[in-house]
Amino acid sequence: MAHQVHAYHMVDPSPWPLTGAVGALLLTSGLAIWMHFHNMTLLALGLILLLLTMYQWWRDIVREGTFQGHHTPPVQKGLRYGMILFITSEVFFFLGFFWAFYHSSLAPTPELGGCWPPTGITPLDPFEVPLLNTAVLLASGVTVTWAHHSIMEGHRKEAIQSLTLTILLGFYFTFLQAMEYYEAPFTIADGVYGSTFFVATGFHGLHVIIGSTFLAICLLRQVLYHFTSEHHFGFEAAAWYWHFVDVVWLFLYISIYWWGS
Amino acid sequence: MAARLLLRSAVRAAAACRSVRTPALSRSMAAGGIPTDEEQATGLEKVIMKAMKHGEDPFNMMKPKHYAGSKADPHLVPSITNKRIVGCVCEEDNTAVVWFWLHEGEAQRCPSCGAHYKLVPHELPH
């Protein structure tokens, strides 16, 4: 079985990095073609290829770790470092958009009326739906921690219930935010206020959807008995990502919704 | 909120009742429904888990043990064949590592600092 002198995982050859790279190329070029020539073919092709790649690549990782036992302690340590580094890169991604927001809002130009919010913009009341959204995400942080402790203590039913609750709260946030987007009195085209607001909150919303999807996969795996009370790194990674999404929202709420109103 | 707390205390009470009947199993498929590594680990992860339970480290995951390096207490170097390369950092923070082959049999000495090294046969689990 293990004809190796080390505890690391030398992965079998796989086509998914190539299909992922091709998919990313088709997605990006497809986006450009769609914007200029109104044709969605390349974009759709790239999206499908990327989704198929993600599904099959991560399915292979689950097979290698859970079913074949390749995720030894040093391998798991590497996965932990990987997830931490990825989340760190996402922090820097959002840092850029916060920089843009503060650049424009701390010294508003005469074209905006020399004030923030700019003249003519009616910002959303931070103590209405945005405050509810804050409560929803904070509660989901509690439920995901509850789920983690349930797994560690070996309580299957509690783990499934608390993880489901976390995902439902995530969906509730997305639904509320979608309603807010629909009802907002300003659009992305409304000057730098609209740009910074919708790009920052929009990317955050995308990350909420990604995080919810990750948690949903974890729920499926928990139901299928993949996780043990000691070894459940996939769940931990999803929980870390979810906490990151929550923290980003808190910064968004304080900066854009509250201070910026 | 109250319903959740009630549910939680009900689950805990049920678990307590169960654990009274099976006192040895506090965490397992039988007790809570989530398997343990003991029950479910497989492949290399299981091999390593079993070895670590016996205090063994067949894949050299841990730092090597500390030896004096004298004739009476030589550095023991595990090897799956009859020779292994040794790199001696004679003094702490030395940047020039002294490399040499260590063969099975009598202990050899580092050509630079004279520390004793002895090859020890090491079985790979398979």
Side-chain angles (χ1 to χ4, degrees):
Chain A
M1 189 261 322
H3 301 296
Q4 56 185 61
V5 265
H6 57 82
Y8 296 98
H9 183 200
M10 305 303 284
V11 186
D12 291 330
S14 162
W16 312 131
L18 182 62
T19 61
V22 172
L25 174 66
L26 293 182
L27 186 77
T28 46
S29 53
L31 203 61
I33 298 286
W34 176 54
M35 287 178 184
H36 289 273
F37 305 117
H38 258 280
N39 188 340
M40 281 190 82
T41 317
L42 219 56
L43 182 63
L45 204 59
L47 204 59
I48 291 169
L49 196 55
L50 219 48
L51 287 169
L52 279 173
T53 301
M54 288 192 280
Y55 170 67
Q56 291 173 110
W57 195 337
W58 282 321
R59 177 209 61 191
D60 280 356
I61 295 174
V62 168
R63 286 174 172 178
E64 291 159 3
T66 303
F67 301 148
Q68 295 181 327
H70 284 291
H71 290 180
T72 61
V75 172
Q76 209 193 121
K77 198 157 167 222
L79 293 168
R80 282 174 191 275
Y81 275 126
M83 193 65 197
I84 288 172
L85 289 170
F86 172 64
I87 292 178
T88 306
S89 78
E90 294 253 77
V91 167
F92 282 104
F93 179 71
F94 277 97
L95 230 51
F97 296 120
F98 277 101
W99 183 356
F101 168 73
Y102 277 112
H103 175 92
S104 298
S105 58
L106 283 168
T109 61
E111 290 88 345
L112 304 172
C115 55
W116 193 274
T119 310
I121 296 281
T122 39
L124 300 170
D125 187 344
F127 298 110
E128 295 208 347
V129 174
L131 187 59
L132 173 60
N133 272 343
T134 306
V136 166
L137 280 187
L138 286 174
S140 72
V142 169
T143 54
V144 79
T145 307
W146 177 18
H148 191 197
H149 283 267
S150 302
I151 292 176
M152 291 191 288
E153 288 161 30
H155 298 136
R156 175 183 167 81
K157 198 139 156 256
E158 271 197 35
I160 290 171
Q161 284 171 348
S162 47
L163 191 44
T164 306
L165 195 49
T166 308
I167 296 165
L168 287 175
L169 286 168
F171 285 164
Y172 187 34
F173 175 93
T174 305
F175 168 75
L176 285 169
Q177 195 69 326
M179 290 291 104
E180 281 285 272
Y181 270 33
Y182 186 70
E183 299 287 338
F186 53 87
T187 72
I188 197 171
D190 285 322
V192 75
Y193 184 89
S195 300
T196 51
F197 180 91
F198 283 106
V199 169
T201 61
F203 271 118
H204 174 261
L206 177 65
H207 283 70
V208 170
I209 292 168
I210 292 169
S212 303
T213 308
F214 196 171
L215 288 168
I217 302 292
C218 286
L219 179 61
L220 179 65
R221 293 185 67 202
Q222 164 59 23
V223 167
L224 295 174
Y225 297 96
H226 287 201
F227 299 135
T228 72
S229 44
E230 297 102 1
H231 189 167
H232 43 261
F233 176 64
F235 173 82
E236 288 184 65
W240 289 352
Y241 196 78
W242 192 250
H243 287 305
F244 154 72
V245 160
D246 189 7
V247 169
V248 170
W249 170 259
L250 293 174
F251 278 99
L252 279 175
Y253 181 71
I254 303 283
S255 307
I256 297 184
Y257 284 92
W258 196 350
W259 177 83
S261 70
Chain B
M1 170 88 175
R4 198 213 298 175
L5 286 172
L6 184 64
L7 189 64
R8 272 225 255 181
S9 54
V11 170
R12 289 242 165 90
C17 289
R18 261 178 271 137
S19 64
V20 163
R21 267 182 267 131
T22 58
L25 300 159
S26 57
R27 290 202 258 154
S28 73
M29 276 302 292
I34 294 186
T36 58
D37 269 350
E38 185 63 47
E39 294 162 329
Q40 194 161 288
T42 183
L44 192 56
E45 192 186 350
K46 184 176 187 176
V47 168
I48 287 177
M49 182 185 75
K50 283 200 166 353
M52 281 177 79
K53 259 207 311 215
H54 299 129
E56 288 160 12
D57 180 20
F59 295 97
N60 292 119
M61 283 171 13
M62 308 292 157
K63 215 165 60 163
K65 275 209 291 263
H66 185 263
Y67 303 96
S70 62
K71 191 158 186 222
D73 185 28
H75 295 285
L76 298 179
V77 178
S79 172
I80 56 169
T81 61
N82 58 355
K83 64 182 194 297
R84 188 174 183 186
I85 295 177
V86 169
C88 187
V89 182
C90 303
E91 270 165 51
E92 197 179 344
D93 296 336
N94 272 8
T95 50
V97 177
V98 178
W99 302 99
F100 56 94
W101 278 106
L102 178 64
H103 297 266
E104 70 177 346
E106 250 184 59
Q108 288 164 229
R109 302 185 68 172
C110 166
S112 172
C113 70
H116 293 77
Y117 291 89
K118 175 141 176 60
L119 202 76
V120 166
H122 176 74
E123 272 299 319
L124 251 194
H126 49 248

